Amino acid sequence: MAKLEIHQFPCLSDNYGVLIHDSEQAVTASIDAPDARTVAAALEEKGWTLTHILTTHHHGDHTGGNAALKAETKCTIVGPRNEAAKIPGIDKQVGEGDTFTFGGHEVRVLDTPGHTAGHITYVFPGAKVAFAGDTLFAIGCGRVIEGNAQMMWQSLKKLMALPKDTTVYCGHEYTQANARFALTIEPDNAALQKRAKEVGQLRAAGRPTLPTTIGIELETNPFLRPHVAAIQKRLGMEGKPEWQIFGEIRERKNRS
Ligand SMILES: [Fe+2]
């Protein structure tokens, strides 16, 4: 199995840029492209040449660098079929169930709509890593902008079904605010209390709280825990469908 090197760096105000590199086949992809100059600087720092951009969704803080980076490097831009018209420079359209290879790695595509109508997640099963864009965040999830709660819940369930030791990279550093909110939904979750403390320490030291793992999120992310009795009781929603409880938690976060 070829080694996948991963380099995460802050971009714009609270985005993360991520570069992935397979040295055996000399390919490098930028997961989204929030800002061309910052991505180019990260490439230079690592000594890597951009060959691909893997776009998760159309928002400007994920595609703003596409045109300039493509003009400069002639890279191939892969992106979601279901919103392809909104992805600058897209060359290859992908969606649910598609697989392709990046260097020596198989990549599987999941449709994870809700934040946007065509949002996708890239899963590298061999390296046990997933790039979830703005669908899943550490202790949180993306705003449901173009879809509805039921759709977003189905998307999150696909991510919840990945192996627990899957490392997850996300689009934004929102973890500290997410942790504060999460404690209002599940104040007695000891794993969440512990993690909230660690997140506070990391941010105070100027360090990222990402990537995360599916296992950590299953234990501490209230958006993935609508089945938990204590959460249902706190929300007065005992026995309600999970997607409705998810939707209520999302509404409360929007208002927080
Ligand atoms: Fe977004």
Side-chain angles (χ1 to χ4, degrees), residues 32 36 46 61 65 70 75 83 92 95 100 111 119 122 125 136 140 157 160 170 178 184 204 206 214:
D32 290 324
K46 299 301 286 184
D61 61 326
K70 188 174 180 179
C75 66
E83 55 191 40
K92 181 181 162 73
F100 62 94
D111 280 343
H119 194 299
Y122 297 93
L136 179 66
K157 273 178 65 172
M160 292 163 70
C170 314
N178 287 345
T184 70
I214 293 296

Side-chain angles (χ1 to χ4, degrees), residues 57 59 62 115 134:
H57 69 293
H59 286 159
H62 294 257
H115 177 69
D134 287 357

Side-chain angles (χ1 to χ4, degrees), residues 38-93:
T38 315
V39 173
L43 286 161
E44 194 174 321
E45 182 194 329
K46 299 301 286 184
W48 297 344
T49 302
L50 191 69
T51 54
H52 297 77
I53 296 173
L54 305 184
T55 302
T56 61
H57 69 293
H58 71 80
H59 286 159
D61 61 326
H62 294 257
T63 59
N66 279 20
L69 287 166
K70 188 174 180 179
E72 203 175 307
T73 65
K74 310 275 184 288
C75 66
T76 298
I77 300 183
V78 182
R81 180 178 297 125
N82 291 339
E83 55 191 40
K86 296 179 179 174
I87 310 297
I90 190 167
D91 297 297
K92 181 181 162 73
Q93 302 180 19

Side-chain angles (χ1 to χ4, degrees), residues 159-226:
L159 301 181
M160 292 163 70
L162 295 172
K164 285 185 185 173
D165 57 352
T166 304
T167 298
V168 185
Y169 286 81
C170 314
H172 293 269
E173 178 62 64
Y174 292 155
T175 316
Q176 200 161 17
N178 287 345
R180 274 196 294 271
F181 170 75
L183 284 166
T184 70
I185 301 295
E186 201 181 6
D188 297 328
N189 180 337
L192 172 60
Q193 292 167 354
K194 181 166 172 278
R195 190 175 181 204
K197 251 184 225 152
E198 290 165 0
V199 164
Q201 287 162 358
L202 284 169
R203 294 312 290 158
R207 289 166 60 194
T209 63
L210 289 160
T212 179
T213 68
I214 293 296
I216 290 172
E217 294 310 312
L218 287 172
E219 284 180 17
T220 59
N221 187 330
F223 295 96
L224 307 187
R225 297 171 58 79

